[in-house]
Amino acid sequence: MAAPTPSAAPGGFPAAPVPPELVGRLRDQLAAVADEVEEEVRRQVPEYTQPEGALEGRLRTGVVEALTFFVDHIAGPGDQRAAIAETYYELGWKTAAAGRSLEAFQSALRVGGLHAWHLMGRIAEDLGLDSALVSALGELAFRTLHEAAEAATAGYGEARLRDSGELEPRRRRLLGLLLGEQPAPPHAVQELAHGARWAVPEQVAVVVFATGPIDAEDPPPTPVGALTDLDAHPPRLLLPDPDGCGRFDDRALALALDGRPAVLGPTVPLAQAAQSLRWARRALDLVERGVLPGQGLLRCADHLPALLLRGDEPLLAHLASRALAPLEAVPEAHRERLRETLLAWLLGGSNVPDTAARLHVHPQTVRYRLRQLEQLFGDALHTPDTRLALMLALQAGSTD
């Protein structure tokens, strides 16, 4: 289930400080207010006068979640909208699954919200709060109600669409559009995303993983909001806002990968999703060849130099052949020690003690090898272009 990401900043936080006694009173009376709100909803919305069945206890949960979110928010500015969105998205989903109408659910939200604000407003008045503060609190309360309604509607719509068998094909087409060779027109993305009940994010990252047997009848769970194509080669997931708060669940991703070697592409703007896929596929190829480590999830962001070097392997091989040609005059048994010393010396900024520490040898050993290298490479060893070429060639060889 793809709970929507709230689309705007919370806003509405009162400019004046909220008295601690108000927060304390609201917390103390939260259960009592929830009881009254639940009773009022059941009294005014006919569909909720009957036992909830599959939704048993969810009305109460929704009321408590919304009230708790509101109180927590005024107690200290903190964005907990993702939690309220997830709760009401699930409520909307289960409302559809239970065969209840969305109209009745929305009526319950309106009745519950108004009654809750009436009760909490009375508490605020009892404490003699400034009218401007009470007004700001009211604005925040109704914004909470609005976001809960949006999330519930999204959950209800996705459940109905999934039941019709149309949701996954629509999401598959959307994923194909986003990962196509040509940049997707924004209006086309918006149109397909709307039909697929998918909240369009600003940034995405693509995960690819090694092909293996996937049970079509019982596919692995995927992270919230991910678009998937398990039939592609390689199988892939597109993660929305992977670096955003609460949007990227490592455990959910681990379940989806089911132990397969996998690569997380770089986070990019939505319009560049195909780039994230391209880099992830390149990294997966290097993993499968043993060039990059294959334990767990490999993140491209941690291996950008290797990906850059391997972007054109024939050219890299030609560079290495030219840059390291002087070493061919050295017997093979000694050649590797000189390569190792040269790379450590370049990485250490030509500092002999640092090079010796990197190699765990005596500084005199390093000086001896450097004299050999200077005889082989001559003055070119100290020119910037040669040093850069040597570093690239040696770094590429060290990743094999």
Side-chain angles (χ1 to χ4, degrees), residues 116 218 272 341:
D218 185 24
Q272 299 174 22
T341 301

Side-chain angles (χ1 to χ4, degrees), residues 27-113:
R27 287 200 194 282
D28 291 343
Q29 298 189 35
L30 192 146
V33 170
D35 288 339
E36 286 199 38
V37 169
E38 183 179 4
E39 182 180 347
E40 188 67 15
V41 169
R42 295 194 187 280
R43 187 180 69 82
Q44 290 198 40
V45 185
E47 195 166 347
Y48 284 86
T49 60
Q50 302 299 321
E52 292 187 74
L55 293 175
E56 194 63 48
R58 297 306 295 170
L59 173 59
R60 169 84 180 180
T61 298
V63 171
V64 171
E65 286 278 355
L67 294 174
T68 302
F69 163 77
F70 176 76
V71 175
D72 286 347
H73 189 65
I74 66 172
D79 189 357
Q80 300 183 40
R81 294 175 305 151
I84 201 72
E86 184 174 348
T87 296
Y88 274 84
Y89 180 89
E90 182 183 354
L91 273 172
W93 179 287
K94 291 188 174 181
T95 297
R100 293 180 182 260
S101 72
L102 178 61
E103 291 75 15
F105 187 85
Q106 299 286 28
S107 295
L109 276 178
R110 287 192 296 271
V111 169

Side-chain angles (χ1 to χ4, degrees), residues 1 3 82 86 205 207 221-226 237-258 264 297 299:
M1 294 188 294
E86 184 174 348
V207 177
T222 56
V224 170
L237 311 173
L238 184 141
L239 300 174
D241 290 326
D243 302 328
C245 179
R247 297 300 300 165
F248 180 28
D249 187 335
D250 283 342
R251 291 173 297 177
L253 186 55
L255 288 172
L257 300 176
D258 195 25
L264 172 64
L297 177 68
R299 299 169 186 266

Side-chain angles (χ1 to χ4, degrees), residues 34-375:
D35 288 339
E36 286 199 38
V37 169
E38 183 179 4
E39 182 180 347
E40 188 67 15
V41 169
R42 295 194 187 280
R43 187 180 69 82
Q44 290 198 40
V45 185
E47 195 166 347
Y48 284 86
T49 60
Q50 302 299 321
E52 292 187 74
L55 293 175
E56 194 63 48
R58 297 306 295 170
L59 173 59
R60 169 84 180 180
T61 298
V63 171
V64 171
E65 286 278 355
L67 294 174
T68 302
F69 163 77
F70 176 76
V71 175
D72 286 347
H73 189 65
I74 66 172
D79 189 357
Q80 300 183 40
R81 294 175 305 151
I84 201 72
E86 184 174 348
T87 296
Y88 274 84
Y89 180 89
E90 182 183 354
L91 273 172
W93 179 287
K94 291 188 174 181
T95 297
R100 293 180 182 260
S101 72
L102 178 61
E103 291 75 15
F105 187 85
Q106 299 286 28
S107 295
L109 276 178
R110 287 192 296 271
V111 169
L114 288 170
H115 193 68
W117 174 243
H118 173 73
L119 295 173
M120 290 191 290
R122 192 168 61 197
I123 294 173
E125 288 179 4
D126 289 344
L127 292 172
L129 298 184
D130 178 80
S131 59
L133 176 58
V134 174
S135 176
L137 291 172
E139 181 182 347
L140 179 59
F142 286 103
R143 180 174 285 109
T144 301
L145 179 64
H146 173 71
E147 292 189 351
E150 280 191 330
T153 300
Y156 188 94
E158 181 167 333
R160 293 292 298 271
L161 193 58
R162 191 179 293 273
D163 285 345
S164 72
E166 282 295 313
L167 185 63
E168 291 309 320
R170 291 184 186 185
R171 290 192 167 183
R172 186 76 62 87
R173 289 196 294 272
L174 174 60
L175 181 60
L177 179 67
L178 292 172
L179 298 182
E181 293 183 3
Q182 299 298 324
H187 71 275
V189 172
Q190 290 289 347
E191 183 177 342
L192 266 180
H194 177 74
R197 298 294 193 273
W198 192 69
V200 178
E202 291 187 3
Q203 295 187 312
V204 295
V206 176
V207 177
V208 297
F209 50 97
T211 303
I214 297 174
D215 187 349
E217 298 297 323
D218 185 24
T222 56
V224 170
L227 298 179
T228 66
D229 187 352
L230 301 182
D231 296 326
H233 298 285
R236 60 203 55 173
L237 311 173
L238 184 141
L239 300 174
D241 290 326
D243 302 328
C245 179
R247 297 300 300 165
F248 180 28
D249 187 335
D250 283 342
R251 291 173 297 177
L253 186 55
L255 288 172
L257 300 176
D258 195 25
R260 298 177 180 86
V263 173
L264 172 64
T267 297
V268 296
L270 180 65
Q272 299 174 22
Q275 289 277 35
S276 185
L277 171 63
R278 183 167 65 87
W279 290 324
R281 292 182 65 172
R282 181 184 300 171
L284 181 62
D285 176 65
L286 296 177
V287 167
E288 292 176 336
R289 289 164 47 193
V291 176
L292 293 178
Q295 298 296 320
L297 177 68
L298 180 135
R299 299 169 186 266
C300 283
D302 298 334
H303 300 274
L304 294 179
L307 288 174
L308 179 62
L309 287 175
R310 298 284 174 169
D312 188 333
E313 299 216 41
L315 183 59
L316 176 61
H318 182 69
L319 168 69
S321 175
R322 286 176 59 87
L324 301 176
L327 290 177
E328 294 299 318
V330 178
E332 186 174 351
H334 188 52
R335 189 182 307 154
E336 187 55 36
R337 287 196 295 272
L338 289 182
R339 287 171 59 104
E340 181 184 47
T341 301
L342 181 54
L343 177 59
W345 181 69
L346 291 168
L347 292 176
S350 306
N351 183 286
V352 170
D354 181 75
T355 303
R358 286 171 180 263
L359 299 176
H360 305 289
V361 298
H362 194 278
Q364 190 58 36
T365 301
V366 173
R367 293 188 181 94
Y368 171 72
R369 294 177 185 174
L370 285 174
R371 285 195 293 272
Q372 291 181 291
L373 288 167
E374 287 176 341
Q375 290 174 359

